Amino acid sequence: MNWIETEVTPSSLAELSEVLGSDGGARPWMPKGGGTLLGRGALPREPVAAVQLSRCRAVIEHAYDDLTVTVEAGLPMASLQESLSERGQWLPLSLDPDPESTVGGWIGADRRTPLAGSWGSVRDYLLGIAWMDGRGHTVRAGGRVVKNVAGYDLMKLFTGSLGELGIIVEATFKVLPRPARWGGVTLATPDAIELRVALEEGPKLFPAGLWRFDGGEGDTLAWVFAGSPPCVSAQLRRAQALMNGAGRILNDEETLNLVAALERDSRPESDPVAWGGALPEWLCHPGLGAVFDSHSWCADLMRGHFWARWMGNESALERARNALRSGVGHLHLDAPSAHPLPNPWGERGDSVEILTGLKRALDPEGRFVEGRWPVSR
Amino acid sequence: MIDLDRDLERIVGPDGIVRDPRLRMVYECDGYTLDRAVPERVVLPRTVDEVRNVVKLAHHAGWSIVPRGAGTGLAGGTLAAPGALVIALTRLRAIETLDPMNRQALVQAGVANLAISKAALPYGLHYAPDPSSQSVSTLGGNIAGNSGGPHTLKTGVTTNHVLAVELVTPDGNTRWLGSRAPAAGGPDITGLIVGSEGTLGLVTRAWVRLVPVPPATRTLLAAFPGVDEASRAVSAILRSGIVPAAVELMDAPILEALHAAFKLEFPEHAGALLLVEVDGLEDGLDEDAEKAVEACEQSGAFRIERATTDADRRRLWMARKKAFGALGRLARNYCTQDGVVPRTKLPEMLRFISQVGHEAGIRVANVFHAGDGNLHPILLYDERNEREVRAVLEASARILEKCLELGGSLTGEHGIGVEKLALMDRAFSAESIAAMDRVRRVFDPDRRMNSGKAIPEGGGCFDGRAGLGRVRPGREVPL
């Protein structure tokens, strides 16, 4: 099935509104973002008409003294980071975003990178949102200030909505000062005791990342720090001391390269990517690589995210999911191509009725794509 | 014939129902005292099962439900609608699991915020959101309000620290939303529940995230000639590239009250104080503190005191912590507002607040989370004086409308409650309110959960008198 039947690229949000308002509804709409993560989520129930917002990419307001930025959703994440960096700021979601990926796509796909362990994910930075509903009306939630509890936090619902609730057209984020220095320590083939020390003591050093990964050279433990030079130097010393002086110190550039490499490996390219979460303690399991059946994986020991290049078959997938259950975990698959898998989510969630209700509440006319979420097919 | 009140007693036991009208007066309001209504029924369940059964009974009886924690809210979020059943969750006070390895805790809704941090402290961990009421305010209440606090500038508010919630839906069913493990996929429903002011169901338990206690802090108190200079310093501090743990501002009326109540001494000619704290590892912290000092000095601070010991730190914080307690020296009653503006608009907003107070003929004091742009103008009045009550209501509305005009919000951490409901249509379009209302109906089609709060009913066709029949923010007053 050619699941994307047609595609429109409006030149402005006014044009998008017109298109949505006048459409007869032959095919459900689906925002496409930059098209870099179209393999996330289940194959929709029926072919869709994709909406590409690449021409709606303005930085509406960078209130740098307020540490907030408001942008149109079609702005590439890389362009946003570049714009923020001119003022010494960043959105700590990514160091090396895919050049094509858009802000709207990051929200809709709830895209996470290994930085999410320490810095949080897009939900933690999204202050306000505007979306277009099925009639082409602009609807808003949240605002442009860093603290705001007026009205429901509908930004959270759009995080991971995969285009089912409407088309995100604008987003406001809080941003942070860019760290002055990066540094890291790596330890090859950590044993069970070293992993436990990292798990127990690592967070107390306030790392920018605490990962266990295999990039093709075997099981490795990595601590990454970001901040002021004296603080990072002290963190590196302490981390190395916790590993009895055995770790290898990475300089600024090596650290940034490591983070960027782990981030790139979390994207599906030629192989699918298995991603999800488990308790951090469970991710210190000695045979973690065997669970993922992979020689390219990364586990975040701060919050419990993981990513793995997936080369296994269906039974390996079932085994991995069964194993993860003991760590209250879950595993999903991102397809490598723009063609989603029929069921990438594994178990159906236990919020089916609520999710179905929310879909009807925000898309009452059923004008947007359906069937992409982890609910019963 | 079914006796519903007897059934209620069968569920919670005779001591789980508050019958005495004088005792029920305890539940007539929360920290927002301009509106009061003595509830007809109040129950105090001890277990999640009891909560579920009470809600089921209410569902069959058609009673509306008002969830309540410790009653420290400041927007009338626990005000009882006529005929409503108040379910106070303060007896659900167990920390069921503390998992230091994964830095998580399973906590019942009635546990006081600070108790979570105290339980986690032996492991070097704490629960980061720290509302000023944290010694008594409950986790359930904090979740309903998405509470913040002085230190949330750096660490985030409640929604950043809640992983999963157990929700009793209005029909009395229970379900877990969210996950202890991240990245469960699909829309983030837990994030919707946090901050929904009890309108989508009752949260009975939650998995929360614990974070390491920062091992070192630097606290400083900067004195400025006035609020203009102090509020300009807030932007200067953030521009310096540091992310402080807290930036709190106190103005001259607050300092006057603190001196009158507790004999606290402040630098002569201080028109405002800024309390700034940075935290983290010891190394590099002095450099961060010096950046804050420099920003304060460049903005006009004429004296800066640094804490060098824990005792010093406690002393510097004392003024901030005791500020609300001191207000009784200035007036019989006070109403605390909760607007937010972009931080760069603080000087303009504070000038406006002063002007509004002057025009309304009431005193206004300010003590607030300046680092977040989250204002807490405190309007002083005497509730026996109708003119003053009316003036407070009108001044509150003007202040909140100005926050919106400057690109801010009606509320940073107290919630909409009943107090600000009439202003929601200034903050959001009819389409936006209608979308929120439809989301509400997914959980509560009959609108029995904390009705008349948070979201105007009727999907944008708001008449300003929905639910509890209030006019403007605040009490119904004779016109």
Side-chain angles (χ1 to χ4, degrees):
Chain A
M1 176 178 93
N2 185 14
W3 70 290
I4 298 180
E5 204 169 78
T6 56
E7 188 164 322
V8 296
T9 308
S11 60
S12 67
L13 295 181
E15 189 180 319
L16 174 63
S17 172
E18 205 173 300
V19 168
L20 293 177
S22 62
D23 176 70
R27 287 293 181 204
W29 295 109
M30 189 196 74
K32 189 183 167 189
T36 56
L37 209 49
L38 283 173
R40 173 161 294 183
L43 188 66
R45 291 185 199 282
E46 57 177 308
V48 300
V51 178
Q52 163 73 265
L53 288 185
S54 54
R55 293 157 79 186
C56 303
R57 47 182 296 160
V59 175
I60 297 169
E61 182 189 26
H62 180 192
Y64 45 88
D65 274 353
D66 288 315
L67 297 176
T68 62
V69 66
T70 301
V71 300
E72 288 184 338
L75 181 72
M77 181 59 85
S79 305
L80 171 58
Q81 297 286 28
E82 200 180 317
S83 170
L84 294 173
S85 72
E86 288 169 14
R87 292 282 180 177
Q89 296 175 355
W90 73 317
L91 186 57
L93 303 177
S94 168
L95 270 180
D96 185 25
D98 188 309
E100 304 294 317
S101 67
T102 64
V103 164
W106 274 72
I107 300 166
D110 189 16
R111 172 87 168 95
R112 298 180 187 216
T113 72
L115 291 174
S118 291
W119 301 86
S121 57
V122 71
R123 79 186 288 284
D124 297 304
Y125 294 88
L126 192 57
L127 301 174
I129 193 173
W131 71 93
M132 231 169 251
D133 68 14
R135 294 165 299 161
H137 294 158
T138 301
V139 191
R140 291 178 184 276
R144 290 190 182 184
V145 282
V146 294
K147 208 168 170 190
N148 186 359
V149 296
Y152 291 152
D153 189 345
L154 300 185
M155 292 80 80
K156 298 289 189 295
L157 288 185
F158 276 81
T159 305
S161 62
L162 293 170
E164 291 212 15
L165 300 178
I167 298 177
I168 300 165
V169 293
E170 185 185 304
T172 298
F173 298 99
K174 70 173 171 183
V175 298
L176 294 178
R178 217 174 169 82
R181 193 190 156 194
W182 290 76
V185 188
T186 57
L187 178 72
T189 56
D191 61 27
I193 294 172
E194 286 162 336
L195 285 169
R196 193 157 186 93
V197 168
L199 184 69
E200 278 186 7
E201 301 301 322
K204 295 174 186 169
L205 297 184
F206 301 96
L210 178 58
W211 303 302
R212 182 185 176 193
F213 70 94
D214 184 346
E217 294 174 9
D219 199 348
T220 305
L221 182 63
W223 314 52
V224 162
F225 303 102
S228 69
C231 188
V232 170
S233 298
Q235 287 167 314
L236 290 171
R237 280 196 307 275
R238 290 182 198 199
Q240 203 175 29
L242 283 171
M243 289 186 272
N244 296 317
R248 176 178 168 256
I249 301 274
L250 306 180
N251 65 25
D252 214 307
E253 189 184 343
E254 288 169 323
T255 306
L256 290 169
N257 287 341
L258 170 66
V259 178
L262 292 176
E263 185 177 333
R264 278 195 300 276
D265 285 346
S266 69
R267 294 178 204 142
E269 285 173 2
S270 54
D271 302 307
V273 164
W275 62 282
L279 293 178
E281 188 176 14
W282 192 88
L283 294 173
C284 289
H285 187 278
L288 191 62
V291 172
F292 293 138
D293 198 13
S294 170
H295 292 293
S296 176
W297 52 266
C298 173
D300 141 46
L301 303 186
M302 293 294 286
R303 296 197 199 199
H305 299 86
F306 65 78
W307 297 263
R309 296 247 158 243
W310 187 258
M311 287 167 280
N313 55 22
E314 277 294 318
S315 59
L317 190 61
E318 193 51 38
R319 275 199 306 277
R321 283 178 170 149
N322 283 336
L324 276 158
R325 273 185 204 111
S326 63
V328 297
H330 33 251
L331 181 151
H332 325 298
L333 277 185
D334 284 344
S337 66
H339 198 83
L341 301 164
N343 185 13
W345 299 111
E347 286 179 11
R348 56 179 263 177
D350 56 1
S351 312
V352 177
E353 286 165 39
I354 292 177
L355 284 171
T356 306
L358 290 169
K359 165 76 176 159
R360 287 197 193 117
L362 294 177
D363 180 23
E365 295 95 3
R367 302 294 302 279
F368 296 104
V369 62
E370 193 172 0
R372 305 195 75 198
W373 293 346
V375 297
S376 176
R377 302 306 309 274
Chain B
M1 189 178 152
I2 302 170
D3 183 336
L4 293 169
D5 286 303
R6 188 175 299 168
D7 287 348
L8 206 54
E9 186 174 318
R10 280 199 195 104
I11 297 168
V12 295
D15 69 336
I17 299 184
V18 184
R19 294 186 192 282
D20 185 331
R22 288 166 303 175
L23 292 179
R24 275 190 280 121
M25 282 183 71
V26 171
Y27 302 89
E28 69 172 0
C29 65
D30 51 22
Y32 175 74
T33 58
L34 273 165
D35 275 312
R36 295 172 197 224
V38 178
E40 292 171 29
R41 296 179 179 86
V42 179
V43 291
L44 297 151
R46 292 176 190 278
T47 65
V48 174
D49 271 351
E50 286 185 5
V51 175
R52 187 169 37 227
N53 289 331
V54 166
V55 174
K56 267 188 186 149
L57 182 68
H59 179 60
H60 292 307
W63 295 334
S64 59
I65 290 171
V66 177
R68 186 179 171 105
T72 57
L74 290 162
T78 61
L79 196 65
L85 170 69
V86 172
I87 303 180
L89 298 179
T90 43
R91 288 183 175 175
L92 292 179
R93 49 186 169 221
I95 296 176
E96 296 186 13
T97 306
L98 209 142
D99 178 357
M101 290 301 283
N102 292 301
R103 297 177 301 284
Q104 298 177 354
L106 174 59
V107 183
Q108 291 186 347
V111 173
N113 170 300
L114 191 59
I116 309 171
S117 288
K118 281 184 176 169
L121 192 59
Y123 305 98
L125 302 170
H126 72 142
Y127 176 63
D130 62 339
S132 301
S133 57
Q134 70 176 147
S135 60
V136 288
S137 71
T138 62
L139 178 66
N142 289 178
I143 289 173
N146 190 14
S147 299
H151 287 90
T152 50
L153 171 59
K154 182 175 178 182
T155 55
V157 294
T158 301
T159 193
N160 307 110
H161 298 271
V162 173
L163 302 167
V165 294
E166 181 184 53
L167 189 77
V168 177
T169 52
D171 56 3
N173 287 310
T174 308
R175 63 178 75 226
W176 273 97
L177 301 169
S179 167
R180 296 179 68 192
D188 176 3
I189 306 174
T190 312
L192 170 71
I193 300 298
V194 177
S196 60
E197 302 192 32
T199 58
L200 305 180
L202 274 107
V203 171
T204 43
R205 294 188 291 176
W207 278 101
V208 299
R209 203 160 68 87
L210 305 172
V211 295
V213 178
T217 55
R218 296 288 183 275
T219 307
L220 36 108
L221 193 63
F224 294 84
V227 290
D228 239 38
E229 295 86 349
S231 52
R232 275 203 302 270
V234 176
S235 288
I237 291 169
L238 293 168
R239 208 182 302 131
S240 74
I242 62 170
V243 182
V247 181
E248 301 283 299
L249 194 151
M250 290 163 275
D251 71 359
I254 289 289
L255 305 186
E256 180 195 326
L258 284 162
H259 178 73
F262 304 113
K263 305 287 177 245
L264 297 185
E265 296 293 338
F266 302 103
E268 205 178 340
H269 308 303
L273 295 182
L274 206 58
L275 182 70
V276 184
E277 189 156 275
V278 292
D279 66 13
L281 295 181
E282 181 68 34
D283 310 81
L285 215 49
D286 284 328
E287 287 84 342
D288 285 357
E290 280 315 303
K291 284 184 182 172
V293 167
E294 205 173 301
C296 287
E297 285 174 344
Q298 286 173 357
S299 304
F302 63 84
R303 184 172 157 188
I304 294 177
E305 193 177 353
R306 297 167 174 82
T308 52
T309 64
D310 273 355
D312 275 352
R313 182 188 176 221
R314 279 195 296 276
R315 185 173 54 77
L316 295 190
W317 270 98
M318 187 185 293
R320 173 64 182 89
K321 300 259 183 194
K322 286 180 175 280
F324 278 84
L327 288 167
R329 290 285 177 158
L330 298 186
R332 182 184 173 92
N333 301 91
Y334 62 84
C335 171
T336 308
Q337 278 307 334
D338 181 39
V340 188
V341 293
R343 290 170 277 220
T344 46
K345 306 286 187 191
L346 280 173
E348 181 180 352
M349 189 66 213
L350 287 165
R351 282 195 294 273
F352 181 80
I353 290 170
S354 170
Q355 179 196 329
V356 166
H358 181 72
E359 288 169 5
I362 51 172
R363 290 196 77 187
V364 184
N366 289 282
V367 49
F368 65 99
H369 312 309
D372 293 319
N374 186 185
L375 298 144
H376 289 326
I378 303 164
L379 294 86
L380 307 168
Y381 69 102
D382 182 336
E383 67 178 356
R384 297 166 301 185
N385 182 331
E386 282 297 340
R387 186 204 69 79
E388 288 192 8
V389 171
R390 196 191 306 268
V392 165
L393 295 173
E394 287 170 1
S396 293
R398 285 185 68 194
I399 289 169
L400 293 175
E401 282 166 356
K402 184 71 175 179
C403 287
L404 294 178
E405 185 191 316
L406 294 179
S409 167
L410 296 174
T411 172
E413 56 184 8
H414 296 172
I416 294 296
V418 292
E419 181 203 16
K420 306 178 193 81
L421 203 61
L423 293 172
M424 277 291 278
D425 61 353
R426 317 274 173 91
F428 294 102
S429 67
E431 279 91 357
S432 300
I433 291 174
M436 292 178 196
D437 189 53
R438 290 197 302 274
V439 165
R440 178 183 202 155
R441 287 165 184 248
V442 172
F443 293 83
D444 183 18
D446 304 324
R447 290 177 174 156
R448 289 189 305 101
M449 291 302 305
N450 219 9
S451 60
K453 320 275 173 62
I455 308 294
E457 293 174 1
C461 304
F462 178 56
D463 66 2
R465 302 179 68 92
L468 297 164
R470 298 297 187 274
V471 292
R472 304 292 288 174
R475 162 186 282 178
E476 180 92 61
V477 291
L479 297 171

